[in-house]
Amino acid sequence: MAPHAPDPDHLPLREEAASPGALPLAPSLGISLEAANMPRRANLVEPRVLFITAVAIVLGIAAGFIARILVSLINLVTNLSFYGQWSFGAVSPANNHLGLWVIAVPVIGGLIVGVMARWGSRAIRGHGIPEAMEQVLLNESKIPPRITFLKPLSSAVAIGTGGPFGAEGPIIATGGALGSFLGQLLHVTGDERKVLLSAGAAGGMAAVFGSPVSAVILAVELLLFELRPRSLIPVAMAAVAAAGVRYAFLGNVPVFGMPHVAEPGLAAMGCYVVLGAMIGLVSVGVTRLVYGIEDAFEKLPVHWMWWPAIGGVAVGVVGYFAPLTLGVGYTNIEAIVSGHLAVGALAFLCVMKFISWSIALGSGTSGGTLAPLFTIGGALGALAGFGLVAVAPQLGIDPRIAGLVGMAAIFAGASRALLASVVFAFETTQQPAGLLPLLGGCAAAYLVSALIMRNTIMTEKIARRGVRVPTEYQADYLEQVLVRDACSRDPVFLRTSEELGEVRHRLNSGRPEYQHQGFPVIDDSGRVRGVITRRTLLDPSEPNMRHIGDLGLRPPVVVHEHHSLREAADHMVSENIGRLIVVGHEAPHPLIGMLTRGDILAAHGRRLKGTHESGRHIRFRETWRKHF
């Protein structure tokens, strides 16, 4: 038998002392491998997914109706605030005739939101997605049920009184809160509750924009932090159901109607990619400025309840000079990508929208980030497009496509939701000619943002609280490695025919391979019969002449050689042991070896060898981080 070096991972297989839930002693003749404790083979999906999917579909339908209710509430508050009429009809606050009194409207809205946050729930502040991410990562996706109605109410007040936000953030937060609430009522697992939260959020976004595919991708990139069938299927079905509700009310026309544009040429494509990189720089600056403003509010010598009202002053003043900055501004986005705004109007809208939105968001009022970012980025992109047309018309730049690229690229850079940004811009405009420029521009923005900025506009707030947000999703390496390729061969084992005295002599010899607290036992044919602990072997009440096979053997905790290391590692955790017996997959299941936690770590070491950086690369990286 090959020696086994001492290793702290070689923990007891089982303690012999009786304890609640301990396995019963086996008959004196030993046990068969069929009684062994074996890990379950992981299935692609379990039947339980059917139930979660059914709940997710109901969630999606509910999110679709909640989205319609929220939009109607925003319309009602807008009509009351700016026109003094009771109506649920869509109306823009930009056409008001309040004069200087328009400044007071957002201030009143901010006061109401502050009161709701102070005595309702502080969680309604902000745009909702970071708060949902925090609950997913730290609190098993448990969101207080009151957020389900407080968030849409506060957002309707904030946006309806002129807040420069979109309805998408609040409805995403509301749908997520509803999914979390249902998950708490149904007593599902933490993972299933996360799926329901994400399904509600995706349903909310799909219901607002009619963009089910990008809603699913956004949920994957910002909430699920995984891409597995058991989570993807329910979220996708919820998004489809919510989009169906929208289509039933509004049809399937694109949210941002855009005239037909021609396919870009090679030179134009290169310009769109460069434009995306430039917008990526802007997204970094926007993110830092927004949180800089938020830090400035933190230093104010007044309670945070008053901050939304202070932010409302800025919204009102800006809205007096630039009425188009008031409210959701979806018509502004449509005008940008349709080419209906002149250069001066684009520049004015871009600057004033940023001032209004950044101060309002920094004040902690309730509202979304998607629509304001789309407006700012779209206006910047269209401005760049007009400039290139004037300077180099031979490049074939279309300002409308440039606006579309800018709109998506700024969100891709600010949030790092690359694929969601590309697909969203495509779904909401239904312009296939813009798809390739979108992909190139958003990828460039993502690259620039990732090189310069550690956190995003979605994660900076919770990162400051010490929350670690996953940024990369990759296949589980342990799932790719089989136990047979990582286990230690020729383990120390005992035979059923051996006498106890002979075994005790080896145990007391001080040899390191006999210092473990448990040993597998095989019969003369090599078949695993069970596990025996060191305590049983050294029990003075047992005579030396007794055979090992006549002692009390426990069912072995084993793993097949064809199991994955992920299954084996999970089995170790569930059984609270540090080593597993490895047996052959085919009958009579011969003993193959032992798998320890050290063997699993060694497998990770092999993985890391392929990712080690050279000294030159490390120095370059540190220099970059030092300067940027």
Side-chain angles (χ1 to χ4, degrees):
M1 294 179 290
H4 229 61
D7 190 324
D9 286 322
H10 290 65
L11 301 179
L13 288 172
R14 288 284 180 188
E15 288 296 334
E16 190 171 11
S19 61
L23 294 174
L25 292 178
S28 60
L29 292 180
I31 60 171
S32 66
L33 189 61
E34 284 71 19
N37 195 335
M38 184 79 67
R40 284 180 63 239
R41 294 306 299 263
N43 295 326
L44 190 62
V45 293
E46 301 288 345
R48 174 81 173 176
V49 172
L50 293 172
F51 169 70
I52 299 299
T53 300
V55 176
I57 292 173
V58 174
L59 262 176
I61 295 173
F65 283 100
I66 291 173
R68 303 314 312 154
I69 294 172
L70 176 59
V71 171
S72 297
L73 281 174
I74 293 173
N75 292 339
L76 175 63
V77 176
T78 302
N79 276 288
L80 288 173
S81 301
F82 292 94
Y83 301 100
Q85 59 187 15
W86 183 276
S87 172
F88 292 97
V91 63
S92 172
N95 300 321
N96 74 85
H97 301 286
L98 295 178
L100 284 173
W101 285 108
V102 75
I103 299 175
V105 176
V107 176
I108 295 171
L111 285 172
I112 297 173
V113 171
V115 169
M116 294 179 69
R118 175 76 183 273
W119 284 283
S121 174
R122 189 171 179 172
I124 66 173
R125 303 172 70 227
H127 49 95
I129 296 179
E131 290 74 19
M133 295 171 71
E134 186 173 23
Q135 297 305 313
V136 167
L137 294 169
L138 297 183
N139 196 31
E140 295 184 337
S141 304
K142 294 179 180 178
I143 298 177
R146 60 183 179 274
I147 301 299
T148 307
F149 61 89
L150 283 178
K151 186 65 178 179
L153 284 177
S154 63
S155 299
V157 171
I159 300 171
T161 55
F165 307 106
E168 66 288 332
I171 189 56
I172 288 173
T174 302
L178 179 61
S180 173
F181 176 58
L182 280 181
Q184 294 172 66
L185 286 180
L186 298 173
H187 301 292
V188 297
T189 66
D191 277 350
E192 291 170 339
R193 193 179 304 112
K194 177 180 70 173
V195 171
L196 293 178
L197 184 154
S198 302
M205 182 174 175
V208 172
F209 290 115
S211 55
V213 179
S214 56
V216 174
I217 299 174
L218 187 74
V220 170
E221 293 183 312
L222 297 183
L223 292 173
L224 283 172
F225 306 113
E226 64 180 29
L227 186 60
R228 294 191 287 181
R230 71 178 191 182
S231 56
L232 188 62
I233 293 170
V235 172
M237 294 302 291
V240 169
V245 173
R246 174 184 172 80
Y247 292 163
F249 280 98
L250 303 175
N252 61 350
V253 295
V255 177
F256 307 131
M258 185 176 175
H260 176 75
V261 292
E263 292 284 346
L266 183 60
M269 267 302 306
C271 291
Y272 294 137
V273 172
V274 173
L275 172 62
M278 295 171 59
I279 297 294
L281 282 172
V282 173
S283 72
V284 173
V286 166
T287 301
R288 291 178 174 173
L289 281 172
V290 164
Y291 282 100
I293 293 171
E294 185 174 299
D295 293 338
F297 271 96
E298 294 281 353
K299 298 176 182 178
L300 291 178
V302 295
H303 193 276
W304 57 260
M305 181 186 77
W306 304 103
W307 296 352
I310 297 173
V313 175
V315 173
V317 172
V318 172
Y320 174 75
F321 293 100
L324 288 178
T325 62
L326 296 170
V328 293
Y330 293 153
T331 54
N332 297 335
I333 300 173
E334 184 171 6
I336 290 170
V337 297
S338 299
H340 293 162
L341 293 181
V343 172
L346 285 170
F348 188 64
L349 175 62
C350 177
V351 173
M352 301 303 279
K353 185 74 172 183
F354 172 72
I355 294 173
S356 176
W357 166 73
S358 59
I359 295 176
L361 187 65
S363 72
T365 193
S366 181
T369 60
L370 274 73
L373 282 175
F374 293 153
T375 302
I376 297 166
L380 283 174
L383 280 171
F386 279 119
L388 287 172
V389 168
V391 174
Q394 69 275 13
L395 293 176
I397 299 296
D398 189 327
R400 296 170 297 182
I401 295 181
L404 184 64
V405 171
M407 168 182 117
I410 196 169
F411 187 70
S415 69
R416 307 256 175 84
L418 169 63
L419 296 178
S421 302
V422 174
V423 178
F424 175 84
F426 171 68
E427 281 188 295
T428 53
T429 60
Q430 296 181 11
Q431 280 295 325
L435 191 54
L436 193 56
L438 282 169
L439 185 59
C442 289
Y446 185 97
L447 173 62
V448 171
S449 172
L451 284 172
I452 298 176
M453 186 169 60
R454 180 179 296 274
N455 298 310
T456 72
I457 200 168
M458 301 297 180
T459 63
E460 176 68 25
K461 181 182 295 186
I462 57 177
R464 293 180 178 186
R465 300 174 191 157
V467 180
R468 178 87 177 206
V469 182
T471 57
E472 297 180 352
Y473 314 130
Q474 59 184 4
D476 187 352
Y477 179 75
L478 296 183
E479 191 66 44
Q480 305 171 47
V481 181
L482 297 181
V483 167
R484 70 182 182 190
D485 299 321
C487 68
S488 304
R489 302 282 176 161
D490 299 324
V492 174
F493 58 87
L494 304 178
R495 294 185 179 275
T496 55
S497 58
E498 289 185 277
E499 292 184 351
L500 188 55
E502 178 185 351
V503 173
R504 285 171 173 171
H505 177 72
R506 296 202 298 270
L507 292 177
N508 295 324
S509 66
R511 293 162 60 185
E513 65 266 30
Y514 284 98
Q515 299 309 303
H516 305 309
Q517 299 301 311
F519 301 89
V521 178
I522 66 173
D523 57 23
D524 291 335
S525 65
R527 187 176 184 184
V528 177
R529 306 299 293 177
V531 173
I532 192 166
T533 65
R534 187 183 191 88
R535 182 180 300 178
T536 299
L537 294 171
L538 297 178
D539 186 355
S541 65
E542 297 290 352
N544 286 334
M545 299 300 294
R546 194 168 185 187
H547 291 94
I548 299 299
D550 297 329
L551 300 175
L553 302 181
R554 294 181 179 275
V557 182
V558 304
V559 62
H560 279 150
E561 60 178 335
H562 289 162
H563 275 116
S564 70
L565 287 188
R566 167 54 55 209
E567 292 167 325
D570 290 348
H571 197 40
M572 284 183 182
V573 173
S574 63
E575 295 298 322
N576 193 28
I577 59 176
R579 55 204 300 252
L580 297 171
I581 298 172
V582 181
V583 297
H585 187 68
E586 302 295 335
H589 308 293
L591 178 66
I592 300 296
M594 299 293 293
L595 181 73
T596 69
R597 287 185 294 195
D599 295 327
I600 295 177
L601 290 177
H604 271 302
R606 293 193 294 272
R607 174 182 63 84
L608 291 175
K609 286 182 180 179
T611 61
H612 280 167
E613 299 173 286
S614 67
R616 183 175 61 183
H617 290 165
I618 294 175
R619 288 192 297 272
F620 176 79
R621 182 190 63 192
E622 295 304 322
T623 301
W624 178 272
R625 288 182 176 176
K626 180 180 179 181
H627 290 88
F628 295 98

